[in-house]
Amino acid sequence: MTLVRATRELGRQWPWVLLALAVVVFVLAPVVPLQWQALDNGAAGIRALADLPGFWDVVVMTLAIGFGALAVAMVLGTSLALAVQALPDRLRRGLAFTPALPLVIPGIAHVVGFVFLFSPESGYINAFLRMLPFFSELTTGPINVYQPFWIIMYTGINLAAFVYLFVRTGLQNLGDDFGMAARVNGAGAGRVLWTVTLPMLRPTLVYASVVVLLLSLGQFTGPLMLGRREGVDVLTTQMFALTQRYPIDYAIAASLGTPLLVVALILVVVQRRLIGDQNRFVGRGVSSVRQAPRSRVGTALATVYVVLYVLLAAVLPILALGFVSLTPYWSGNLSLELLTTKNYVAAFSEPDLLVAVGTTLLVTLLAIAVVLPLGMLVALAIYNRHRLWKPVAAVIDAGANLPLAVPAALIGFGFLFAYSLPGVRLYGTTAGLVIAYITIMLPFAVRYQLATLISVGRATSDASLVAGAGPARTFFRIIMPLGRSGLASSAALIFILLVHEFGVSVLLRAPGTTVMSVLLFDEYGGGSYPMVAVIALVMTVVTSVGVIAALIFGGTRALERI
Amino acid sequence: MTDHTATKRVAVGRLTKSFSRRNETVQVLKGLDVSVGDGELLVLLGPSGCGKTTLLNCLVGLERPDGGTIDLGDRTVVDVETGVFVPPNKRDIGMVFQNYALWPHMTVAQNVEYPLTSRGMRADRAARVREVLEIVQCGHLADRYPPELSGGQQQRVALARALASKPLLMLLDEPLSNLDALLRIELRAQLRQVHRAVGFTGVYVTHDQEEALALGDRVAVMREGRFEQIGTPDEVHSSPATEFVADFLGARNAFDVESRDSGAFAGDERLGGWDDLPSGSYRIRVRPTQVTVSTGEETLPSDAVALGTGVVDELLPAGDRAEYVIRQGDRTLFATVSRVEASARPGDPVHLHANRAAAFAYGADDRLVTAGAGR
């Protein structure tokens, strides 16, 4: 490529060059200035890490939670997807979406629900287990959700829902044909699983494990809420702790994020190498062969397995929240006599909760209003990348996907630092939070809308161009009307994710920008558990508005895109 | 046949295009030159991957060529050298897509009206929509939505949409390939009628040789990004310029012949009638329909050439006709004959011959040696 050609391409494609620049600014703002701190003065911050008390314990704990939760999530999620696949058609249609339910519950509410179930003293399930003969000697436990092993289990159970969605989609794309072909050739169910299904799912499994490892290494909410009592710390919580001291040592806090960032970038590159173009993974989901008849025992076992998971991971935590919200104080006692609505009355008579709900909705809707059009432009660029000059398309694609790889807490901290730079008056403002939300949602907005563009189809928009319509008319007359439900369900999904958001929000918190998740965290710290439960339920209700909208516009498979 | 080349509507010069995937670059178009005359229908014929759809996409502007020029009417729409590239919406081209690409959220009439609106044609849009729907015999479908139409109806509406704004050039990308065989033949005839009635200038892409021969004013046979032959349907059918064209147009039977002073030989067997071939090695191609199968020792007709002897392997009945599979040493030849003439049975020794003009001989340069050229 000669310089002349490059200049000409840049000149011709200037709108896309501008878009690339905008994306780069959005996604690098929270990363580059902060990492500069870590590397400044000959990487003094990074070298100081070793002297940080307990630093190596933190690294070991981060890795333990990362890989431990990965293993739990992969085994659990894959087996759930296989169990659902093993169900007869009608049962499968009814149960297929349920293992994804933990993702619909706000993360921070989910953790609190688990605390109510598995706290060693007052956890309801622990109390129930102690009534059994085997554990009757105990006064606390047997499960201690605050200990590393159970933090790993919790994280794994939570992330299993992601793995489930990936593997389920993989199985649907695979269809029943290959398995049936193996059955006809004399293989039993087990042999089919080991010789056909799992090997053919390998790309899906690799992809899922990289995504889950990224998530589990960057875990913040779980370790923060669960690890505090027994002093279990990971890199992200350690970083958060440093921001709570004044003055903040940005160099050291930034350096804590450096290893996470490096690992994340390596994983993303590895994933690209292993999988290649992600567009190949848009599902076909057709199968010409009817599935084999299911045995009754198999069906029963699979059903029990799925139902048990959903109970443990979604239903019981919500029930626990509901119960605690109706009690004067949380005691682990399931007595119905003391039930009261006074927590709700109290929560809604004070301004805190209502203000937080208002702030959450305002910031969320503003962010959606920007990130949807921005994401659409990026999606259009990626979709038409063969018509763009390669470097421009590559920058847009890589840039828009970068925030997915960076843990939310690190992005939040990055913005905190960027906003505290001289001349940037964004800290504590609504605009500041909106910008951070836009950045973290960009990859999702792009991914959802790319799927919409793919489903609308290239020939449909090409036909409009050939008929003499320009890009704008094509977009508004053809792509928008045909992609309407896809766009609406993207908006609903982003709404859900933003209402759940905690990592970025807690780092950018200020008196005027306290969203629901942060308020919940404060109340949790203050020990007012019934109030925590009320807020968690309000969050869940607000979320379900988004869930219902997503289901209406996107159908039952909409939630699988979270 | 009118001389279309007198007034050129489209001129393509030295067009090149390559795609790169991973670390591999594939040159899809290798310097193509072709022109389409006013009112002419040029058919691009070739196997999948030969570059015909890429050429079509370059014409319409959905692909950007790496080199060369495209002139449309009196306007240059592509000139890579000077950086000229007119986007598809400004080229005044109509296109029928392979899967029709009708917009499912618009009625048939709205679909057809769309190019008129986007090209800013205000006068009598409704009348033009009616007119063009009548041309394709779909006037009664105006208020329906595309998903309610049959495949054939969708195809005709797509044609109407492409014709509506009276574009300078019509492009048709395998428009009949999604239809079943009988409908395809019916619509092929209709398309021919519409072309006669409207007289549009068009480029038609297909991999179906029958379709190409039936529809084209000229046929351009493509192979790996180059034209192998451009000519009238009659020319490419009766004088395929290269062995590839012969093969693609149905001359399945292939064998080698060595011409010496003592006569023409296929292996050790001397073949009569090839006296016009100059000395050298040749590849022979013959359509199965042109092979005559005889059981007795007949004398070779005066304008015929021998294709050697063989043994009948199979006789496959196919309605009025039958197909012989004949073994010649380690070679297999096919002969399609009328059912009543099929007297030989499996195991019978047979003599094969064909008319000299129907047996295509290609020299070392892969050019057709026409009958009588060497005399």
PDB file of all heavy atoms in Angstrom, chain A residues 50-67:
ATOM      1  N   ALA A  50       5.350  -5.315  44.682  1.00  0.00           N
ATOM      2  CA  ALA A  50       5.915  -6.420  45.426  1.00  0.00           C
ATOM      3  C   ALA A  50       6.003  -6.105  46.927  1.00  0.00           C
ATOM      4  O   ALA A  50       5.941  -7.008  47.761  1.00  0.00           O
ATOM      5  CB  ALA A  50       7.293  -6.778  44.870  1.00  0.00           C
ATOM      6  N   ASP A  51       6.144  -4.806  47.226  1.00  0.00           N
ATOM      7  CA  ASP A  51       6.255  -4.421  48.629  1.00  0.00           C
ATOM      8  C   ASP A  51       4.898  -4.219  49.288  1.00  0.00           C
ATOM      9  O   ASP A  51       4.814  -4.000  50.492  1.00  0.00           O
ATOM     10  CB  ASP A  51       7.062  -3.119  48.759  1.00  0.00           C
ATOM     11  CG  ASP A  51       8.447  -3.279  48.158  1.00  0.00           C
ATOM     12  OD1 ASP A  51       8.953  -4.427  48.180  1.00  0.00           O
ATOM     13  OD2 ASP A  51       9.005  -2.289  47.647  1.00  0.00           O
ATOM     14  N   LEU A  52       3.849  -4.245  48.464  1.00  0.00           N
ATOM     15  CA  LEU A  52       2.515  -4.050  49.012  1.00  0.00           C
ATOM     16  C   LEU A  52       2.199  -5.239  49.916  1.00  0.00           C
ATOM     17  O   LEU A  52       2.333  -6.382  49.505  1.00  0.00           O
ATOM     18  CB  LEU A  52       1.505  -3.988  47.856  1.00  0.00           C
ATOM     19  CG  LEU A  52       0.167  -3.317  48.111  1.00  0.00           C
ATOM     20  CD1 LEU A  52       0.376  -1.818  48.339  1.00  0.00           C
ATOM     21  CD2 LEU A  52      -0.749  -3.540  46.911  1.00  0.00           C
ATOM     22  N   PRO A  53       1.800  -4.998  51.162  1.00  0.00           N
ATOM     23  CA  PRO A  53       1.565  -6.136  52.058  1.00  0.00           C
ATOM     24  C   PRO A  53       0.496  -7.071  51.486  1.00  0.00           C
ATOM     25  O   PRO A  53      -0.566  -6.635  51.056  1.00  0.00           O
ATOM     26  CB  PRO A  53       1.086  -5.473  53.356  1.00  0.00           C
ATOM     27  CG  PRO A  53       0.914  -4.012  53.069  1.00  0.00           C
ATOM     28  CD  PRO A  53       1.585  -3.702  51.793  1.00  0.00           C
ATOM     29  N   GLY A  54       0.820  -8.344  51.480  1.00  0.00           N
ATOM     30  CA  GLY A  54      -0.146  -9.347  51.041  1.00  0.00           C
ATOM     31  C   GLY A  54      -0.381  -9.387  49.544  1.00  0.00           C
ATOM     32  O   GLY A  54      -1.334 -10.021  49.090  1.00  0.00           O
ATOM     33  N   PHE A  55       0.501  -8.716  48.745  1.00  0.00           N
ATOM     34  CA  PHE A  55       0.246  -8.644  47.314  1.00  0.00           C
ATOM     35  C   PHE A  55       0.174 -10.023  46.676  1.00  0.00           C
ATOM     36  O   PHE A  55      -0.719 -10.326  45.880  1.00  0.00           O
ATOM     37  CB  PHE A  55       1.317  -7.794  46.625  1.00  0.00           C
ATOM     38  CG  PHE A  55       1.227  -7.841  45.124  1.00  0.00           C
ATOM     39  CD1 PHE A  55       0.162  -7.240  44.468  1.00  0.00           C
ATOM     40  CD2 PHE A  55       2.182  -8.504  44.359  1.00  0.00           C
ATOM     41  CE1 PHE A  55       0.066  -7.297  43.089  1.00  0.00           C
ATOM     42  CE2 PHE A  55       2.091  -8.560  42.981  1.00  0.00           C
ATOM     43  CZ  PHE A  55       1.031  -7.951  42.346  1.00  0.00           C
ATOM     44  N   TRP A  56       1.143 -10.893  47.021  1.00  0.00           N
ATOM     45  CA  TRP A  56       1.177 -12.207  46.367  1.00  0.00           C
ATOM     46  C   TRP A  56      -0.019 -13.064  46.760  1.00  0.00           C
ATOM     47  O   TRP A  56      -0.510 -13.854  45.954  1.00  0.00           O
ATOM     48  CB  TRP A  56       2.509 -12.913  46.632  1.00  0.00           C
ATOM     49  CG  TRP A  56       3.616 -12.175  45.945  1.00  0.00           C
ATOM     50  CD1 TRP A  56       4.588 -11.428  46.533  1.00  0.00           C
ATOM     51  CD2 TRP A  56       3.796 -12.042  44.521  1.00  0.00           C
ATOM     52  NE1 TRP A  56       5.385 -10.838  45.575  1.00  0.00           N
ATOM     53  CE2 TRP A  56       4.927 -11.198  44.328  1.00  0.00           C
ATOM     54  CE3 TRP A  56       3.131 -12.545  43.413  1.00  0.00           C
ATOM     55  CZ2 TRP A  56       5.383 -10.843  43.071  1.00  0.00           C
ATOM     56  CZ3 TRP A  56       3.589 -12.209  42.154  1.00  0.00           C
ATOM     57  CH2 TRP A  56       4.711 -11.366  41.993  1.00  0.00           C
ATOM     58  N   ASP A  57      -0.502 -12.882  48.004  1.00  0.00           N
ATOM     59  CA  ASP A  57      -1.727 -13.595  48.391  1.00  0.00           C
ATOM     60  C   ASP A  57      -2.888 -13.171  47.496  1.00  0.00           C
ATOM     61  O   ASP A  57      -3.718 -13.989  47.100  1.00  0.00           O
ATOM     62  CB  ASP A  57      -2.088 -13.276  49.852  1.00  0.00           C
ATOM     63  CG  ASP A  57      -1.055 -13.839  50.805  1.00  0.00           C
ATOM     64  OD1 ASP A  57      -0.306 -14.744  50.367  1.00  0.00           O
ATOM     65  OD2 ASP A  57      -0.983 -13.369  51.958  1.00  0.00           O
ATOM     66  N   VAL A  58      -2.924 -11.865  47.205  1.00  0.00           N
ATOM     67  CA  VAL A  58      -3.999 -11.350  46.360  1.00  0.00           C
ATOM     68  C   VAL A  58      -3.917 -11.955  44.960  1.00  0.00           C
ATOM     69  O   VAL A  58      -4.927 -12.375  44.383  1.00  0.00           O
ATOM     70  CB  VAL A  58      -3.932  -9.808  46.305  1.00  0.00           C
ATOM     71  CG1 VAL A  58      -4.884  -9.266  45.244  1.00  0.00           C
ATOM     72  CG2 VAL A  58      -4.257  -9.209  47.652  1.00  0.00           C
ATOM     73  N   VAL A  59      -2.680 -12.029  44.416  1.00  0.00           N
ATOM     74  CA  VAL A  59      -2.511 -12.613  43.081  1.00  0.00           C
ATOM     75  C   VAL A  59      -2.969 -14.067  43.086  1.00  0.00           C
ATOM     76  O   VAL A  59      -3.717 -14.506  42.202  1.00  0.00           O
ATOM     77  CB  VAL A  59      -1.034 -12.506  42.635  1.00  0.00           C
ATOM     78  CG1 VAL A  59      -0.814 -13.323  41.365  1.00  0.00           C
ATOM     79  CG2 VAL A  59      -0.658 -11.058  42.418  1.00  0.00           C
ATOM     80  N   VAL A  60      -2.526 -14.808  44.101  1.00  0.00           N
ATOM     81  CA  VAL A  60      -2.895 -16.221  44.175  1.00  0.00           C
ATOM     82  C   VAL A  60      -4.417 -16.366  44.272  1.00  0.00           C
ATOM     83  O   VAL A  60      -5.027 -17.198  43.586  1.00  0.00           O
ATOM     84  CB  VAL A  60      -2.208 -16.894  45.391  1.00  0.00           C
ATOM     85  CG1 VAL A  60      -2.802 -18.267  45.642  1.00  0.00           C
ATOM     86  CG2 VAL A  60      -0.709 -16.993  45.132  1.00  0.00           C
ATOM     87  N   MET A  61      -5.059 -15.508  45.099  1.00  0.00           N
ATOM     88  CA  MET A  61      -6.511 -15.598  45.255  1.00  0.00           C
ATOM     89  C   MET A  61      -7.223 -15.255  43.946  1.00  0.00           C
ATOM     90  O   MET A  61      -8.205 -15.903  43.565  1.00  0.00           O
ATOM     91  CB  MET A  61      -6.957 -14.650  46.381  1.00  0.00           C
ATOM     92  CG  MET A  61      -8.409 -14.793  46.765  1.00  0.00           C
ATOM     93  SD  MET A  61      -8.873 -16.485  47.193  1.00  0.00           S
ATOM     94  CE  MET A  61      -7.897 -16.724  48.681  1.00  0.00           C
ATOM     95  N   THR A  62      -6.706 -14.224  43.230  1.00  0.00           N
ATOM     96  CA  THR A  62      -7.316 -13.861  41.941  1.00  0.00           C
ATOM     97  C   THR A  62      -7.273 -15.040  40.976  1.00  0.00           C
ATOM     98  O   THR A  62      -8.264 -15.371  40.331  1.00  0.00           O
ATOM     99  CB  THR A  62      -6.564 -12.664  41.322  1.00  0.00           C
ATOM    100  OG1 THR A  62      -6.512 -11.618  42.282  1.00  0.00           O
ATOM    101  CG2 THR A  62      -7.262 -12.168  40.069  1.00  0.00           C
ATOM    102  N   LEU A  63      -6.092 -15.701  40.917  1.00  0.00           N
ATOM    103  CA  LEU A  63      -5.954 -16.845  40.013  1.00  0.00           C
ATOM    104  C   LEU A  63      -6.829 -18.005  40.469  1.00  0.00           C
ATOM    105  O   LEU A  63      -7.444 -18.696  39.654  1.00  0.00           O
ATOM    106  CB  LEU A  63      -4.488 -17.283  39.938  1.00  0.00           C
ATOM    107  CG  LEU A  63      -3.550 -16.280  39.257  1.00  0.00           C
ATOM    108  CD1 LEU A  63      -2.103 -16.737  39.367  1.00  0.00           C
ATOM    109  CD2 LEU A  63      -3.939 -16.116  37.789  1.00  0.00           C
ATOM    110  N   ALA A  64      -6.889 -18.219  41.787  1.00  0.00           N
ATOM    111  CA  ALA A  64      -7.684 -19.333  42.316  1.00  0.00           C
ATOM    112  C   ALA A  64      -9.150 -19.133  41.955  1.00  0.00           C
ATOM    113  O   ALA A  64      -9.820 -20.066  41.483  1.00  0.00           O
ATOM    114  CB  ALA A  64      -7.512 -19.432  43.827  1.00  0.00           C
ATOM    115  N   ILE A  65      -9.653 -17.909  42.171  1.00  0.00           N
ATOM    116  CA  ILE A  65     -11.061 -17.649  41.835  1.00  0.00           C
ATOM    117  C   ILE A  65     -11.251 -17.719  40.324  1.00  0.00           C
ATOM    118  O   ILE A  65     -12.221 -18.298  39.827  1.00  0.00           O
ATOM    119  CB  ILE A  65     -11.511 -16.286  42.404  1.00  0.00           C
ATOM    120  CG1 ILE A  65     -11.544 -16.366  43.924  1.00  0.00           C
ATOM    121  CG2 ILE A  65     -12.880 -15.905  41.862  1.00  0.00           C
ATOM    122  CD1 ILE A  65     -12.110 -15.148  44.603  1.00  0.00           C
ATOM    123  N   GLY A  66     -10.290 -17.157  39.584  1.00  0.00           N
ATOM    124  CA  GLY A  66     -10.410 -17.157  38.131  1.00  0.00           C
ATOM    125  C   GLY A  66     -10.509 -18.566  37.576  1.00  0.00           C
ATOM    126  O   GLY A  66     -11.486 -18.904  36.898  1.00  0.00           O
ATOM    127  N   PHE A  67      -9.532 -19.412  37.886  1.00  0.00           N
ATOM    128  CA  PHE A  67      -9.511 -20.746  37.284  1.00  0.00           C
ATOM    129  C   PHE A  67     -10.477 -21.700  37.978  1.00  0.00           C
ATOM    130  O   PHE A  67     -11.076 -22.559  37.339  1.00  0.00           O
ATOM    131  CB  PHE A  67      -8.083 -21.298  37.278  1.00  0.00           C
ATOM    132  CG  PHE A  67      -7.243 -20.653  36.217  1.00  0.00           C
ATOM    133  CD1 PHE A  67      -6.425 -19.576  36.518  1.00  0.00           C
ATOM    134  CD2 PHE A  67      -7.300 -21.102  34.906  1.00  0.00           C
ATOM    135  CE1 PHE A  67      -5.669 -18.954  35.536  1.00  0.00           C
ATOM    136  CE2 PHE A  67      -6.546 -20.492  33.918  1.00  0.00           C
ATOM    137  CZ  PHE A  67      -5.733 -19.412  34.231  1.00  0.00           C
TER     138      PHE A  67
END
